[in-house]
Amino acid sequence: MFMKMFLAGVLCCLMGASGMAVGQERASSEPLPVETADVARLVRAKVPWTWLLKDPDAGTAVVTADQLSQARAIRRIAKLARSRSLDDDVRYTRLRNALDDAALAELARLDLERQITISDTAREAYLASHPGRYDQYRLRHIYIATNGARDGSNRSDGQARTIAEEIKARLASGEQFEALASQYSDDTATAAQGGELSVLLGAYMARPFLDAVRGRKEGFVTSPVRGDEGYHLIRIDQHIPATATSASYQIDQDIIAERLPSLIDAALAQAARPDVANR
């Protein structure tokens, strides 16, 4: 439960978070052209195009026996479809066109991404302007739910907060965090481990939780932090500060995400110029 709320979406679909954001438009009741509607459905499906199109590394190149079996099954069914002339079906043509548009758009995005160069100085500045975002935290928590407590009961916001504050007071008087987590935490997935969580990157933590632990010393226990469905007491077991070197990949991805939309806008404007369009 805590992890569900703690991870802030962990990254959107790569296509949706990149160049496709150029045309961020509000939802409209106007009917979309068929071709655009088909692409919109692909976006909604959150297909990770980037990972499909980038050169695979040693880790992503390996496929499991189950994945190979599924791939072979798809190819056999596709062969059956062709034998029945389903490749002449208008639905196939629409889907293929939508897939072509999405794949070409992603290739264009990747091509523009390669134009972005990031200096060590830029990484250092970005790290300094985002304190805690790239640090790693080893945490424990005690979760007091408003809905879905261990015994199946529901609590009001006030009741949940009161329980959390009472536990905080017991911790302050010297009782062990692990024991209280085991006894009271409504996160049954971590309670048995004394509330222990996986190591978390600041960037993947919901803002209230990051604000509560950022800049605190190891061993610090927060006051009750309100989550979506209850309160959390969080203890910092370990804090590993990031450097521009250790967090270079994550920093680069964030800088690229910020710079890319303007590059795409400029490229689209350039492509729309009559002297370019008529070439």
Side-chain angles (χ1 to χ4, degrees), residues 31 73 128 144 166 192 220 246:
I144 305 301
E166 289 172 350
F220 175 80
S246 68

Side-chain angles (χ1 to χ4, degrees), residues 168-199:
K168 168 72 171 175
R170 291 173 65 176
L171 289 167
S173 69
E175 292 193 50
Q176 293 297 307
F177 192 101
E178 291 85 348
L180 292 175
S182 178
Q183 184 175 358
Y184 293 107
S185 181
D186 291 318
D187 180 1
T188 54
T190 65
Q193 288 74 46
E196 184 178 10
L197 301 164
S198 302
V199 176

Side-chain angles (χ1 to χ4, degrees), residues 13-159:
C13 147
L14 288 168
M15 183 170 65
S18 60
M20 300 303 289
V22 167
Q24 284 182 351
E25 300 171 358
R26 295 183 180 180
S28 171
S29 58
E30 302 263 339
L32 290 170
V34 169
E35 296 84 357
T36 305
D38 287 339
V39 174
R41 278 190 283 274
L42 291 177
V43 172
R44 187 174 64 195
K46 299 184 179 181
V47 179
W49 299 101
T50 296
W51 300 117
L52 292 171
L53 295 171
K54 283 187 175 179
D55 294 333
D57 57 31
T60 59
V62 177
V63 294
T64 67
D66 182 59
Q67 290 166 339
L68 282 173
S69 177
Q70 291 181 51
R72 292 185 180 117
I74 288 171
R75 297 200 67 185
R76 287 197 299 271
I77 297 170
K79 184 176 181 180
L80 172 65
R82 290 188 181 93
S83 73
R84 297 184 177 182
S85 299
L86 290 178
D87 48 345
D88 293 328
D89 191 302
V90 66
R91 293 170 298 174
Y92 169 67
T93 302
R94 284 176 50 190
L95 176 58
R96 184 182 60 191
N97 290 342
L99 289 167
D100 282 350
D101 281 351
L104 285 169
E106 188 65 5
L107 283 173
R109 190 194 72 79
L110 290 171
D111 188 55
L112 289 169
E113 182 180 306
R114 294 188 188 99
Q115 298 178 22
I116 298 174
T117 57
I118 303 171
S119 66
D120 290 342
T121 301
R123 290 189 187 95
E124 292 280 2
Y126 201 88
L127 177 66
S129 65
H130 295 78
R133 177 172 174 79
Y134 305 103
D135 294 354
Q136 294 182 56
Y137 299 87
R138 189 180 299 278
L139 307 170
R140 292 179 186 268
H141 83 131
I142 299 172
Y143 171 54
I144 305 301
T146 50
N147 298 315
R150 277 191 189 185
D151 60 5
S153 65
N154 294 328
R155 306 181 181 106
S156 69
D157 181 274
Q159 288 171 328

